[in-house]
């Protein structure tokens, strides 16, 4: 037999795609060839043939009998993965779809062959092979043994990769199912085929792939039984693919793997970024911090060949690195103070403790698996610690020297305390997002359409989270101790809000008060409806894979953490690697970064596998991962494109300009407008920095008034779930209005003592005459609203009404707060036509008509905003503007304001 390349797909955990060369062995021909003969007497198999055929015909799709309501009093499992339920439905005594005594009279045959009576139209012909398959199964007794479901070992698909060169070219896929008993069958006619981008490649129901008009790469997804397999499809962008590809520098393994893919596509990477571009990009990406003007000057003047790697090492040791990445980890682990209400007598403390605990461990470069274990395996009390001693320790934690106390905490329990994180199904979904980078919520109701997880798999996985409880009052003997503590404090008769207020007052007075506590109990089995059955859990599988058997008294989270840490785990390390990569390239190797499903394959599997294996080999060393990525030439490429890569947005051939995250934007404005001394302080200290605001609630933001509105405008993560979608990176008109017109920006421009304009005025002995618009505003509603302000507010009111109708109280509260902040800034919509205040400084006696050294001032303005020197045209234009200004400092202010409002300032390139 002719040797061919095949792709093997395992169906259990540790799934991988491996191309191997095998000699073809005897394979059962596909159904159409076997059932073309009207006299065939073969009896098809319900699982292997009947259910997949119903899927191909669309019977169990969302629009038909696979919907939650079914159609015509007939409901099938979505995509046909609940064989027992489907078999039972077909044999429903009240409305049977099959008649073994008179097979031709079965509704399963008569309905889909008659377009007049079948709501879904005619699905197949009575003389066709599809009819004969269903007929022979019914005539043969319509059997299905639910206790002996066949196990699919793998799918063998050829070809394993398709490369097109012209529109209209076609390639046929062949899919062979290999079962546990060794049977091999060509199941191509029973497979569901979908394409992830039909502009590049379309696929029909028979697996024929046709090249579209687009160039680039995509995947065609093959689904059969429990297998989901993506097949890469590529079409070169130009004529440089393969042997014609030019020589490209690949100094690191990351570069080699990226260019290996680009060579197939004929995409040539961009040139190397300039030193100025690299420094700004690196500082913003790695530390969330704009480099100071002095830092830019020093870096550009440095002529050493290894200055880039040295700068990477230096920034990894800064407090801003730990602060910014702690914020990112708090995003996907869900540090939301609104969800931590009543978990501590001090209202804001849990969110801050959560953040500081992560920040301190990132600063020490704690391995990621240990950091995650400190969250996942968290406990409130140490072994053999009494409840009273625990409360004393917690009281001290909420007092002075909190940072030192947090550093002594072995674990961080507040992850388990969130209000929306109390039920096992909710915990399973959020946990999978945070630590596995997967979206399993679809499997809560039906088999996941893009992966192998079933409803039963979801229920068993949820059971792992049924043994953790965070309670406001302790249980057992500790409850009596708790009640005695309240008596000793003289507040035992208080309840609700009154009790919480008094506890807060007591702890502020230094008295020991009772604290809520996290504790574990024997896990309970969770059924497919998400309810705990009450019966102890003996064993459970982890998403259909590893089966864990529980010992009496065992913390159910321990085997889960062991599974996550194992080198065979397909999610834990890979999810974190992918998230880190996405931070530097705008998209993940798998994108979205929290969707590592089989139907959403990596754009460069070899690259993701290399980084993941390296991360494991280096014992989950986060800084190793950071260095491996940002020391690559790939990261340091320019954002400016060439003819081959200008349309590339997923193969990392150039940097993609991307809007700065909300926290980074707010800090960048403060940094750019700060004096040299203040800018140095902001680099060294995280106090007052937006990137170090602990939680996402308004209570935390109110402690940083200049950040509150700006963070909302630029889309800071709401942390309402662990989804990447909680953060908004979309540009809006309001962001433009904020930068041009908001009092926060003017206050930062004109601040005395710590502002750069003030520093310039003092150094040149100029009077701060035209003090900015913020000082002329008598109230916060004197700013001109955006042109669409009325429509914006109207849309907001509709969203509030809809959310209230849906019963989403948290979203209603969030939207109402946003409305309040809009009105505070711009007034009610009916006052949207108010005029902006105009300042008049024409009679000021301190105006300087001619500025000496204006060129140096302009250069400093560029360095502190855009992290580069101005070109000749920019320099001349700005100097001219300052020289012609009636008020010198207002001229400088105008230049700085204009730079803050450039696209280059708010975009990282």
């Amino acid at each position: 037999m002719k040797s061919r390349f095949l792709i093997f797909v395992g169906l259990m955990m540790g799934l991988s795609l491996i191309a191997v060369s095998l000699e073809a062995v005897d394979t059962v021909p596909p159904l159409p060839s076997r059932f073309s003969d009207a006299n065939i007497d073969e009896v098809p198999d319900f699982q292997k043939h009947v259910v997949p055929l119903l899927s191909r015909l669309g019977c169990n799709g969302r629009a038909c009998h696979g919907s939650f309501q079914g159609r015509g009093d007939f409901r099938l499992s979505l995509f046909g993965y609940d064989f027992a339920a489907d078999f039972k439905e077909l044999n429903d005594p009240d409305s049977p779809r099959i008649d073994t005594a008179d097979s031709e009279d079965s509704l399963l045959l008569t309905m889909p062959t008659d377009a007049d009576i079948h709501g879904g139209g005619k699905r197949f012909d009575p003389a066709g092979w599809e009819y004969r398959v269903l007929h022979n199964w019914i005539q043969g007794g319509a059997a299905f043994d639910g206790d002996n479901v066949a196990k699919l070992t793998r799918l063998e698909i050829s070809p394993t990769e398709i490369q097109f060169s012209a529109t209209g070219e076609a390639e046929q896929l062949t899919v062979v199912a290999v079962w546990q008993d060794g049977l091999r069958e060509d199941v191509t006619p029973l497979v569901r085929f979908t394409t992830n981008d039909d502009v590049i490649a379309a696929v029909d129901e028979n697996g024929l792939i046709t090249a579209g008009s687009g160039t680039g790469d995509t995947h065609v997804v093959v689904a059969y039984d429990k297998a989901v397999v993506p097949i890469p499809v590529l079409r070169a962008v130009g004529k440089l693919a393969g042997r014609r590809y030019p020589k490209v520098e690949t100094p690191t393994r990351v570069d080699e793997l990226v260019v290996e893919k680009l060579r197939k596509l004929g995409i040539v990477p961009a040139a190397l970024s300039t030193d100025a571009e690299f420094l700004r990009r690196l500082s913003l990406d790695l530390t969330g911090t704009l480099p100071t003007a002095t830092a830019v000057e020093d870096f550009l003047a440095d002529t050493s060949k290894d200055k880039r790697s040295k700068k990477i090492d230096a920034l990894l040791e800064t407090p801003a690195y730990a602060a910014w990445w702690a914020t990112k980890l708090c995003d996907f682990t869900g540090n939301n103070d609104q969800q931590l209400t009543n978990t501590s007598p001090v209202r804001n403390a849990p969110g801050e403790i959560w953040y500081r605990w992560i920040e301190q461990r990132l600063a020490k470069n704690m391995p990621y698996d240990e950091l995650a274990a400190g969250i996942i395996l968290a406990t409130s009390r140490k072994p053999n610690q009494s409840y009273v001693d625990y409360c004393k320790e917690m009281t001290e934690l909420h007092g002075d020297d909190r940072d030192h106390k947090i550093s002594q905490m072995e674990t961080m329990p507040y992850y388990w305390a969130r209000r929306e994180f109390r039920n096992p199904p909710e915990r399973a979904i959020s946990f999978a997002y945070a630590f596995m980078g997967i979206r399993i919520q679809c499997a809560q109701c039906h088999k996941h359409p893009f992966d192998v997880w079933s409803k039963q798999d979801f229920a068993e996985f949820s059971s792992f989270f049924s043994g953790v409880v965070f309670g406001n009052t302790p249980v057992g003997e500790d409850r009596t101790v708790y009640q005695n503590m309240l008596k000793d404090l003289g507040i035992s008769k208080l309840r609700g809000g009154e009790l919480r207020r008094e506890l807060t007052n007591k702890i502020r007075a230094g008295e020991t008060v009772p604290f809520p506590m996290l504790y574990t109990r024997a896990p309970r089995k969770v059924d497919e409806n998400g309810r705990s059955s009450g019966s102890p859990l003996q064993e459970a599988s982890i998403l259909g894979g590893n089966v864990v058997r529980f010992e009496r008294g065992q913390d159910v989270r321990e085997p889960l953490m062991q599974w996550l840490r194992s080198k065979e785990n397909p999610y834990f390390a890979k999810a974190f690697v992918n998230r880190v990569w996405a931070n530097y390239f705008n998209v993940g190797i798998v994108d979205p970064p929290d969707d590592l499903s089989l139907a959403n394959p990596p754009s460069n599997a070899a690259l993701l596998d290399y980084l993941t294996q390296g991360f494991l080999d280096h014992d989950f060393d986060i800084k190793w991962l950071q260095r491996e990525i940002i020391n690559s030439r790939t990261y340091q490429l320019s954002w400016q494109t060439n003819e081959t890569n200008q349309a590339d947005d997923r193969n990392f051939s150039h940097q993609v300009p991307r809007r700065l995250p909300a926290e980074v934007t707010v800090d960048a404005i403060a940094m750019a407008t700060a004096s040299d001394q203040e800018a140095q302080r902001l680099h060294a200290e995280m106090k007052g920095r937006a990137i170090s605001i602990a939680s996402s609630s308004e209570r935390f933001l109110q402690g940083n008034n200049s950040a509150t509105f700006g963070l909302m405008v630029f889309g800071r993560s709401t942390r309402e779930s662990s989804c990447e979608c909680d953060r908004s990176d979309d540009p809006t008109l309001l962001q433009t209005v904020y930068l041009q017109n908001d009092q926060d920006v003017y206050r930062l421009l004109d601040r005395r003592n710590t502002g750069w304009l003030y520093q310039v005025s003092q150094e040149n002995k100029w009077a701060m005459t035209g003090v900015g618009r913020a000082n002329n505003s008598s109230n916060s509603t004197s700013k001109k609203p955006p042109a669409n302000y009325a429509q914006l507010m109207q849309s907001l009111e509709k969203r509030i009404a809809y959310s209230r109708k849906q019963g989403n109280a948290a979203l209603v509260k969030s939207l109402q707060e946003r409305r309040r902040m809009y009105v505070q800034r711009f007034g009610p919509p009916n006052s949207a036509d108010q005029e902006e205040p105009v300042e008049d400084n024409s009679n000021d006696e301190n105006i300087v008509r001619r500025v000496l050294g204006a060129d140096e001032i302009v250069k400093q303005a560029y360095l502190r905003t855009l992290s580069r020197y101005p070109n000749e045209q920019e320099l001349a234009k700005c100097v001219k503007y300052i020289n012609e200004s009636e008020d010198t400092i207002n001229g400088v202010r105008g230049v700085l304001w204009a730079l803050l409002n450039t696209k280059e300032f708010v975009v990282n390139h």
Side-chain angles (χ1 to χ4, degrees), residues 412-425:
M412 198 288 298
Y414 290 113
Y415 172 77
W416 299 95
R418 293 170 291 162
R419 288 184 301 175
E420 93 288 16
F421 196 66
R422 300 292 174 88
N423 297 321

Side-chain angles (χ1 to χ4, degrees), residues 297-312:
E297 289 181 298
D298 291 345
F299 189 75
L300 296 182
D302 188 350
T303 58
S304 59
K305 293 182 179 180
D306 59 349
K307 67 178 183 179
R308 293 194 177 193
S309 61
K310 285 182 177 178
K311 178 57 70 173
I312 290 170

